[in-house]
Amino acid sequence: MTDSNNKWEYAPSLEGTSHIQLKEKYDLFIDGKWIKPSNNRYFDTINPATEEKLAEIAWASEDDVDLAVMAARKAYKEVWSVMKASERAKYIFRIARLMQEHAKELALIETLDGGKPIRESRDIDVPLACNHFFYYAGWADKLQDAFPQRNIQSLGVAGQIIPWNFPLLMAAWKIAPALAAGNTVVLKPAESTSLTALKLAEIIQASGLPAGVVNIVTGNGDTGAAIVNHPDIDKIAFTGSTAVGKLIQKSVVGTSKRVSLELGGKSANIVLEDAPIDQAVEGIVNGIFFNQGHVCCAGSRLYVQESIADEVVRKLKQRMQSLYVGNPLDKNTDIGAINSKEQLGTIEKYINIGINEGADMYQLECEIPSKGFFCRPTIFTNVAQSSVIAQEEIFGPVLTIQTFRTIDEVIQKANNSPYGLAAGVWTDKGSRIFNLTSKLRAGVIWANTYNKFDPASPFGGYKESGFGREGGLHGLEAYLK
Ligand code: NAI
Ligand code: MG
């Protein structure tokens, strides 16, 4: 232990990467085969912790997207929609089992490509992704029980576009319910984190899933737009920025396409004076520093009741000094690399705005690697409700802290946001939990915990955080007529 802080100096404990297999170049997974992009364009994917190139990824054109949609339509008509539901379930179950067998490899690739700590990809992302497939495999032949008195009908071809913060998990959230409800899929991963979706394509190929049921097309925003604008797609499911979500909404107006959007957030984490303080501090740390704050439902606005504010902030600062920032492959690491140079730039821009707005900044004092994209966990106190850093989504390890006196005041402050994705409440009293959860305008509210996910519970937002729910039966319903 060093004197200045309570931090133990651990020897590095690096996860080895010698046994994972990455190709130099990845093509498009269309109709069960690997196909070169029509314009022969590729882009690099890098490891954001080292800035080293990992592989080249195909950049799908409009023509490639068209090919993928045609394959998905054919598979829908001829195979998937006419197959017995219990047979469909077996395929989804098999994909889940194969993912489990490849869990270690998937976790390592997720960490290399995206920058998140191996502890999180190993213990959270990959197991949860497997569980989504298991969960929806179970529903595939019980749709009539799930929705009694309804004529169960799938939608057709689903176009799915996902972001870089939980690459494999988001692929699972999108693909598993779509298949269970009898649809076929064209999915586009985010450009900085395509590798685990491509590994999933290899797994899907090995599972024997009929060709064309799942197609993975990689590329940039233009590839996403080609999916959104394709006339033969029945449903668009998007997770990403509010800006792109709004664009998508505009482009489907006047078409018969169904849309579900899961967008950003600026979620309030509220600590009342009777809360178990040490537990709450852990929850605050988990709420904002988990996955470098690259979490749409991150607890990025902390509200602490005035009488305990000094104690909470003191303990939070102390806890921050014991966090490890660095190599995501090190099992001791709490905070890994920011996903991209652009995102690091965005976060640094907001930190400077916070300083210029006159808030008080406090950061973890530590060395950060000179290569790669890293950001010290940061908190701001003395923050005005109207300040930019308390209003806009930062999507990084940056927390604003405000105090409040009464419950009514904190409800008003928490709801004063264009977003409404999640919230957290910390208190000893059940009645207070119910009072707050009924008045907070957020899709998900955690009580005495934060950032907990389960395939059986629906997830989604209000207002500019989007609409539609994923997970649970709600998530299935989004893929049925
Ligand atoms: P983005 O919304 O541009 O990217 C998300 C996905 O949409 C990617 O697969 C991208 O290729 C695709 N895309 C981009 N333009 C498109 C278009 N015109 N049509 C169809 N698809 C398109 O997000 P970006 O630029 O990576 O991140 C910007 C900000 O968005 C972040 O700083 C964060 O605030 C927020 N964000 C929120 C996420 C969430 O989980 N709600 C996830 C990622 C980012
Ligand atoms: Mg990458």
Side-chain angles (χ1 to χ4, degrees), residues 9 37 68 82 85 87 103 109 137 146 149 185 216 226 255 322 324 334 337 340 356 368 386 408 432 462:
E9 297 300 337
V82 292
E87 291 302 308
I109 296 173
Q149 281 130 30
V185 164
I216 312 266
T255 73
S322 68
Y324 287 85
D334 298 300
S340 66
N356 292 332
I368 53 174
S386 59
D408 285 344
R432 289 185 156 174
Y462 287 107

Side-chain angles (χ1 to χ4, degrees), residues 37-229:
S38 62
N39 51 21
N40 209 31
R41 270 202 299 177
Y42 292 83
F43 59 92
D44 292 347
T45 193
I46 64 160
N47 176 346
T50 62
E51 300 176 52
E52 279 160 10
K53 172 175 163 180
L54 291 167
E56 282 173 41
I57 310 283
W59 187 339
S61 67
E62 240 174 73
D63 290 345
D64 300 318
V65 168
D66 190 42
L67 211 60
V69 175
M70 276 195 303
R73 175 63 59 193
K74 185 162 181 280
Y76 177 72
K77 271 202 210 143
E78 295 175 8
V79 187
W80 200 242
S81 67
V82 292
M83 188 184 281
K84 260 178 73 177
S86 55
E87 291 302 308
R88 286 202 296 257
K90 286 184 201 165
Y91 282 109
I92 304 169
F93 191 73
R94 199 176 297 155
I95 295 169
R97 289 289 300 272
L98 283 168
M99 285 171 74
Q100 268 185 335
E101 281 174 29
H102 290 81
K104 193 162 181 195
E105 194 183 3
L106 288 167
L108 272 165
I109 296 173
E110 200 73 310
T111 284
L112 285 172
D113 202 17
K116 65 175 69 199
I118 186 67
R119 225 180 45 211
E120 284 175 10
S121 41
R122 183 194 64 197
D123 297 347
I124 297 166
D125 294 63
V126 174
L128 261 177
C130 297
N131 286 346
H132 269 268
F133 277 95
F134 279 121
Y135 175 78
Y136 283 113
W139 277 121
D141 61 349
K142 301 173 194 70
L143 296 176
Q144 200 61 67
D145 301 325
F147 306 103
Q149 281 130 30
R150 264 175 64 170
N151 175 18
I152 300 294
Q153 264 185 298
S154 50
L155 296 175
V157 176
Q160 308 180 318
I161 298 163
I162 57 173
W164 40 261
N165 53 344
F166 291 92
L168 183 69
L169 184 60
M170 287 304 111
W173 277 31
K174 296 277 182 283
I175 297 173
L179 296 189
N183 306 274
T184 59
V185 164
V186 175
L187 174 121
K188 192 194 89 65
E191 42 273 45
S192 61
T193 56
S194 303
L195 288 176
T196 44
L198 292 162
K199 270 282 151 188
L200 180 60
E202 290 178 7
I203 286 172
I204 285 171
Q205 202 176 24
S207 77
L209 185 78
V213 174
V214 172
N215 305 275
I216 312 266
V217 290
T218 44
N220 284 264
D222 57 338
T223 311
I227 295 177
V228 171
N229 296 322

